[in-house]
């Protein structure tokens, strides 16, 4: 019996000790959160010119500002309305507390707050908003503790960064940017008064919800400053009469959702706190060109739909499936200037620039012909544009035949390489690959860096490889840059909240000589001036490029470049069904390219207009077997054939 009595006494002694220990631990743990303040901060994403693309955040949208960067007048406005004796008390204002106690006792409940700025900070950061004496008691204890650990300036810095100011804005810097689109140092006194008047009831006094109430609250702040003698009468009158412009922006301000998704994909592993770490991400994007690319793609899609309507051939399901993509970059640096992954992100966040693997068709032919040029042929070399029958083993082991044809069954006999590529002659291309040897072509492609998904047959001549628009843009940099294969990049650098800069370097390697590449550029210029790509011609600037249309018009491409900018455009149905027969690369994608470059020249009129001829390249006449030749044929026949080439998958798109 005595044993159990001792155990009971021991338990009775331990309970208050354990409880006291818990109180002390909880007290220390909670206050340390505020002493070692690490708020969740918004990551900001910018374009190459310093323009905001978007804000990235999870729960709380917050920009951080240090005490040194908070205007003194803003601090005065806050103290005037919230805590005039802030720099004099130790976290609790005894006089205000006594007044509040009298009112609370009379009312029988908590009614009067009497909270100092320190108490407000504690309540908002560490405690709940419930009106109970126990919560108020904690608030007082925590506030005294915080004042022992932090300076007044540190407390104000935490307050200004932690306080909620309505509209989803946390912190004074965030609210100034959101409501007024201004940095703190550019705020007027009235704008400052609006902001410091919000903590009392941020949603009620929000200037985007109740503008007049917000102004009234701000005028009381200004009046209090005047009564305290902190501003003169002229300042008071001017401030109270002001009616600032208020913006009702979205929190994310996302002007490039496809870009932001790709930024998140690329940085997510290296920066798991990308949405809360307060980074500044500087991309290679030019927002003006991004908007130009979006408008161009929209215009192209509308034209495709309009042609279908006029022909009485508009299928509602196909209209819904119709989409496109555009990517533009600097081929010398690989920096992506514009990336439009679809015509409407809200309907489909699927980024067709990076994720859609499609066959480029004849837009791939320049790589095949570049192998031929590097093998000793010239633009004036002759190749047979004649019909041939090829045999191959089918999936069932039986021998099958393939009889490719040109558009409209036209056969020109012997044609130059320049003519074959300018007018996208399928038979000439296939025969050239066959005569050179399939292995020689694939070896050359691998030398260019094209190593994945190479088809094991002659269909490579017609672009049966699967590539995304980003892939094709990467490979085209070898033409647009004079022989250097350059990896496209989207991110220039990331700056941490501590000011550390992480730069992202680009990789490139020379895969051909500028002289050999210029042979191809000269031919691709002809494609645009009088070949299949005339719809991509832009007045006042030289353009080189190639159309691509896959079998049954499943895909329509234009890949091209000016002396300094390269762009790839694609159209097709997301479900891989054919578009209308008339929707070729030249007709569907070419005009989008032209639209984009016309905008580019308007935005940047000093853009380089002509290609440089590398040293050692001889520009002669059509008859001397060198670079420049004369053409009188102005036809721009689509570069497709309905016949299928032998391929393991049975279906070949070219």
């Amino acid at each position: 019996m005595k044993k159990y009595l001792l155990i009971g006494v021991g338990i009775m002694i331990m309970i208050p000790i354990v409880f006291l220990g818990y109180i002390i631990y909880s007290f220390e743990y909670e206050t340390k959160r505020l002493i070692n303040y690490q708020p969740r901060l918004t990551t900001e994403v910018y374009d190459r010119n310093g323009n905001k693309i978007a804000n990235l955040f999870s729960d709380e949208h917050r920009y951080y500002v240090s005490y040194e960067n908070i205007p003194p007048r803003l601090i005065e406005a806050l103290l005037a309305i919230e805590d005039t004796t802030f720099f004099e008390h130790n976290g609790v204002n005894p006089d205000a507390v006594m007044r509040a106690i009298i009112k609370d006792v009379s009312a029988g409940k908590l009614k009067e707050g009497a909270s100092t700025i320190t108490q407000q900070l504690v309540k908002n950061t560490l405690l709940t908003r419930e009106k109970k004496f126990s919560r108020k008691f904690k608030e007082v204890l925590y506030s005294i503790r915080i004042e022992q650990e932090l300076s007044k300036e540190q407390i104000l810095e935490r307050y200004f960064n932690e306080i909620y100011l309505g509209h989803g804005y946390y912190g004074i810097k965030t609210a100034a940017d959101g409501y007024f689109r201004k940095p703190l140092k550019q705020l007027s006194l009235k704008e400052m008064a609006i902001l410091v008047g919000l903590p009392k009831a941020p949603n009620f006094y929000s200037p985007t919800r109740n503008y007049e109430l917000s102004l009234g609250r701000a005028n009381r702040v200004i009046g209090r400053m005047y009564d305290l003698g902190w501003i003169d009468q002229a300042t008071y009158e001017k401030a109270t009469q002001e009616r600032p412009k208020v913006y009702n922006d979205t929190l994310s301000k996302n002007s490039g959702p496809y870009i932001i998704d790709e930024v998140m994909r690329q940085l997510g592993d290296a920066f798991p706190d990308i949405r809360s770490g307060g980074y500044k991400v500087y991309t290679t994007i030019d927002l003006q060109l991004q908007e130009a690319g979006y408008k161009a793609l929209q215009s192209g899609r509308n034209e495709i739909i309009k042609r279908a309507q006029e022909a009485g051939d508009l299928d509602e399901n196909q209209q819904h499936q119709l989409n496109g993509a555009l990517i533009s970059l600097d081929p010398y640096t690989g920096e992506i200037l514009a990336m439009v992954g679809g015509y409407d992100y809200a309907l489909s966040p699927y980024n067709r620039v990076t994720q859609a693997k499609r066959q480029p068709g004849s837009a791939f032919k320049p790589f095949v012909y570049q192998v031929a040029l590097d093998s000793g042929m010239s633009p004036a070399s002759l190749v047979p544009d004649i019909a041939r029958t090829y045999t191959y083993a089918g999936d069932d082991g039986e021998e099958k035949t393939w009889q490719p044809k040109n558009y409209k069954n036209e056969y020109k006999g012997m044609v130059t390489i320049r003519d074959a590529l300018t007018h996208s002659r399928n038979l000439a291309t296939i025969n050239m690959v066959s005569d050179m040897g399939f292995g020689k072509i694939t070896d050359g492609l691998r030398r260019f860096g094209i190593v994945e998904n190479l088809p094991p047959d002659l269909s490579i001549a017609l672009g049966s490889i699967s590539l995304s628009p980003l892939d094709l843009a990467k490979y085209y940099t070898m033409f647009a840059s004079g022989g250097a294969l350059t990896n496209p990049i989207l991110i220039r650098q990331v700056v941490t909240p501590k000011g550390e800069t992480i730069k992202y370097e680009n990789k490139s390697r020379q895969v051909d000589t500028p002289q050999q590449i210029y042979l191809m550029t000269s031919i691709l210029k002809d494609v645009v001036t009088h070949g299949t790509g005339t719809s991509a011609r832009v007045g006042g600037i030289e353009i080189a490029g190639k159309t691509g249309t896959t079998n049954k018009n499943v895909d329509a491409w234009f890949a091209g470049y000016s002396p300094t900018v390269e762009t790839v455009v694609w159209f097709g149905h997301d479900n891989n069904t054919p578009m209308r027969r008339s929707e070729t690369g030249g007709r569907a994608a070419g005009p989008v390219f032209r639209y984009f470059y016309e905008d580019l020249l308007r935005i940047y009129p000093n853009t380089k207009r002509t290609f440089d001829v590398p040293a050692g390249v001889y520009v002669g006449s059509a008859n001397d077997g060198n670079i420049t030749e004369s053409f009188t044929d102005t036809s721009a026949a689509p570069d497709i054939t309905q016949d299928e080439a032998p391929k393991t998958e049975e279906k070949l798109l070219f």
Side-chain angles (χ1 to χ4, degrees):
M1 187 68 177
K2 183 177 181 180
K3 176 181 177 182
Y4 291 110
L5 181 61
L6 290 173
I7 293 174
V9 171
I11 293 174
M12 294 297 292
I13 294 173
M14 288 299 296
I15 288 176
I17 293 175
V18 171
F19 181 73
L20 180 61
Y22 172 77
I23 294 296
I24 294 173
Y25 170 78
S26 176
F27 179 79
E28 288 295 322
Y29 175 78
E30 291 294 339
T31 54
K32 284 294 182 184
R33 283 174 49 206
L34 191 52
I35 294 168
N36 303 320
Y37 184 55
Q38 293 182 322
R40 299 174 70 84
L41 302 178
T42 295
T43 289
E44 300 169 82
V45 183
Y46 296 93
D47 81 343
R48 66 193 298 111
N49 300 312
N51 300 308
K52 177 75 70 66
I53 297 178
N55 295 314
L56 299 179
F57 59 92
S58 50
D59 300 324
E60 298 178 354
H61 173 34
R62 176 185 289 107
Y63 303 140
Y64 198 86
V65 59
S66 63
Y67 180 82
E68 293 75 17
N69 292 315
I70 301 172
R73 185 66 88 186
L74 183 58
I75 295 173
E76 291 176 355
L78 174 67
L79 300 187
I81 196 66
E82 293 291 349
D83 191 355
T84 308
T85 62
F86 172 74
F87 282 99
E88 301 168 14
H89 61 65
N90 66 345
V92 179
N93 186 332
D95 293 337
V97 170
M98 289 304 299
R99 290 195 301 270
I101 289 176
I102 294 173
K103 291 184 178 181
D104 291 342
V105 171
S106 299
K109 60 180 180 179
L110 282 180
K111 185 176 181 181
E112 186 76 11
S115 294
T116 64
I117 286 176
T118 309
Q119 288 175 269
Q120 291 181 43
L121 177 61
V122 166
K123 178 177 65 177
N124 285 292
T125 309
L126 306 180
L127 304 173
T128 65
R129 289 180 172 271
E130 59 181 351
K131 290 190 174 184
K132 292 184 178 180
F133 286 104
S134 59
R135 195 273 297 164
K136 194 69 177 179
F137 180 68
K138 281 185 178 181
E139 181 184 301
V140 170
L141 289 180
Y142 285 14
S143 297
I144 295 173
R145 174 65 171 167
I146 292 300
E147 291 266 353
Q148 293 172 345
E149 293 288 335
L150 299 176
S151 68
K152 292 289 186 177
E153 291 78 12
Q154 289 174 318
I155 292 171
L156 281 175
E157 181 175 316
R158 284 159 174 73
Y159 179 91
F160 274 118
N161 284 289
E162 181 66 24
I163 200 70
Y164 179 65
L165 298 168
H167 202 78
Y169 301 140
Y170 288 84
I172 200 77
K173 182 178 179 180
T174 318
D177 177 79
Y179 287 130
F180 306 118
R181 296 182 184 174
K182 289 182 179 181
L184 292 177
K185 293 183 178 180
Q186 292 182 13
L187 293 176
S188 68
L189 177 57
K190 185 61 163 284
E191 290 166 339
M192 292 180 183
I194 289 175
L195 295 181
V196 300
L198 287 171
K200 182 178 179 65
N203 291 323
F204 182 72
Y205 288 120
S206 171
T208 56
R209 287 189 174 187
N210 300 304
Y211 184 71
E212 296 300 331
L213 289 175
S214 178
L215 294 183
R217 171 70 171 165
N219 285 342
R220 287 194 290 277
V221 173
I222 297 167
R224 175 65 174 159
M225 295 177 73
Y226 177 69
D227 292 340
L228 292 169
W230 293 357
I231 59 174
D232 57 28
Q233 185 169 352
T235 303
Y236 166 77
E237 292 177 354
K238 179 181 178 182
T240 52
Q241 292 172 11
E242 182 186 351
R243 297 177 64 84
K245 179 175 177 57
V246 174
Y247 296 89
N248 193 10
D249 292 336
T250 62
L251 299 186
S252 67
K253 295 185 179 179
N254 194 340
S255 57
Y258 287 111
I259 298 165
I260 296 305
D261 281 358
E262 186 62 17
V263 166
M264 291 289 294
R265 188 190 68 79
Q266 293 188 21
L267 296 181
D269 291 339
F271 302 94
D273 61 340
I274 188 66
R275 287 188 177 274
S276 61
Y279 301 99
K280 294 185 185 297
V281 180
Y282 296 92
T283 71
T284 62
I285 293 294
D286 185 308
L287 274 180
Q288 291 187 86
L289 295 183
Q290 178 72 14
E291 178 62 21
Y294 175 76
K295 290 193 300 181
L297 199 70
Q298 283 275 20
S299 174
R301 184 177 183 274
N302 291 340
E303 287 298 315
I304 293 173
I305 294 173
K306 179 181 177 181
R307 288 193 289 269
Q309 289 175 329
E310 291 174 347
D313 191 22
L314 181 64
D315 184 290
E316 291 295 330
N317 180 58
Q318 289 183 340
Q319 179 180 345
H320 177 71
Q321 292 290 329
L322 178 63
N323 225 307
L326 180 148
I327 178 171
S328 185
L329 50 79
D330 179 334
Y332 296 92
T333 65
E335 294 190 341
I336 298 172
L337 305 173
M339 182 174 65
V340 186
Y343 82 93
D344 191 335
Y345 180 88
L347 294 177
S348 172
Y350 180 68
N351 190 338
R352 292 151 190 85
V353 169
T354 61
Q355 296 175 286
K357 295 288 186 178
R358 313 287 290 223
Q359 292 186 343
S362 293
F364 189 75
K365 285 179 181 176
F367 301 101
V368 175
Y369 279 95
Q370 189 65 50
V371 175
L373 295 176
D374 291 349
S375 299
M377 301 178 77
S378 79
S381 295
L382 296 175
V383 291
D385 184 42
I386 59 176
R388 286 180 179 175
T389 299
Y390 296 91
T391 60
Y392 65 100
D395 291 340
D396 55 5
E398 294 186 5
E399 185 177 277
K400 295 186 177 182
T401 61
W402 178 44
Q403 294 178 310
K405 299 177 182 179
N406 280 335
Y407 185 75
K408 295 183 179 179
N409 293 326
E410 294 178 337
Y411 309 101
K412 296 291 184 178
M414 299 301 290
V415 297
T416 64
I417 281 181
R418 181 178 294 276
D419 178 80
L421 187 52
T422 298
H423 299 287
S424 202
R425 303 191 188 283
N426 289 333
L427 291 176
T429 308
I430 295 168
N431 292 334
M432 183 190 72
V433 171
S434 178
D435 292 344
M436 287 183 63
F438 177 75
K440 192 170 186 178
I441 296 296
T442 55
D443 287 346
L445 294 176
R446 291 189 179 95
R447 189 179 73 250
F448 298 152
I450 306 173
V451 296
E452 297 181 359
N453 303 317
L454 290 177
D457 51 52
L458 290 177
S459 68
I460 187 65
L462 303 181
S464 60
I465 186 173
S466 293
L467 301 172
S468 69
L470 178 63
D471 294 331
L472 190 61
K474 170 186 174 180
Y475 296 137
Y476 258 77
T477 60
M478 65 174 275
F479 298 130
S481 70
L485 182 67
T486 308
N487 286 324
I489 60 171
L490 179 63
I491 299 168
R492 279 181 166 178
Q493 63 183 32
V494 176
V495 179
T496 71
K498 296 181 179 180
E500 301 169 337
T501 299
I502 303 164
K503 294 186 176 181
Y504 288 78
E505 299 282 328
N506 186 24
K507 294 181 180 180
S508 65
R509 66 184 181 91
Q510 199 73 21
V511 297
D512 215 326
T513 67
Q515 291 78 12
Q516 285 298 109
I517 290 296
Y518 187 78
L519 299 179
M520 180 55 63
T521 293
S522 73
I523 298 173
L524 296 182
K525 284 167 59 180
D526 287 350
V527 172
V528 176
T529 57
H530 55 266
T532 60
T534 55
S535 62
R537 282 187 304 202
V538 182
I541 189 171
E542 290 187 329
I543 298 293
K546 185 69 186 75
T547 55
T549 313
T550 59
N551 192 52
K552 297 181 181 178
N553 299 71
V554 171
D555 302 281
W557 298 79
F558 187 84
Y561 52 97
S562 69
T564 56
V565 179
E566 175 199 326
T567 303
V568 172
V569 179
W570 166 85
F571 274 108
H573 290 150
D574 283 336
N575 60 3
N576 284 288
T577 56
M579 293 186 290
R580 295 176 61 247
R581 169 81 170 126
S582 60
E583 299 304 335
T584 63
R587 195 176 194 193
V592 173
F593 182 96
R594 183 187 71 245
Y595 189 118
F596 177 73
Y597 273 75
E598 288 173 345
D599 255 4
L600 184 151
L601 294 180
R602 177 184 56 79
I603 297 167
Y604 297 110
N606 294 326
T607 298
K608 185 175 174 57
R609 305 296 182 102
T610 58
F611 290 103
D612 293 327
V613 180
V617 174
Y618 174 71
V619 179
S621 67
N623 297 322
D624 64 13
N626 287 289
I627 306 304
T628 305
E629 299 171 354
S630 300
F631 286 92
T632 56
D633 180 7
T634 58
S635 64
D639 52 347
I640 59 172
T641 177
Q642 296 184 32
D643 294 81
E644 296 183 353
K647 196 170 187 293
T648 306
E649 298 175 354
E650 287 295 326
K651 181 180 181 182
L652 172 68
L653 306 180
F654 52 85

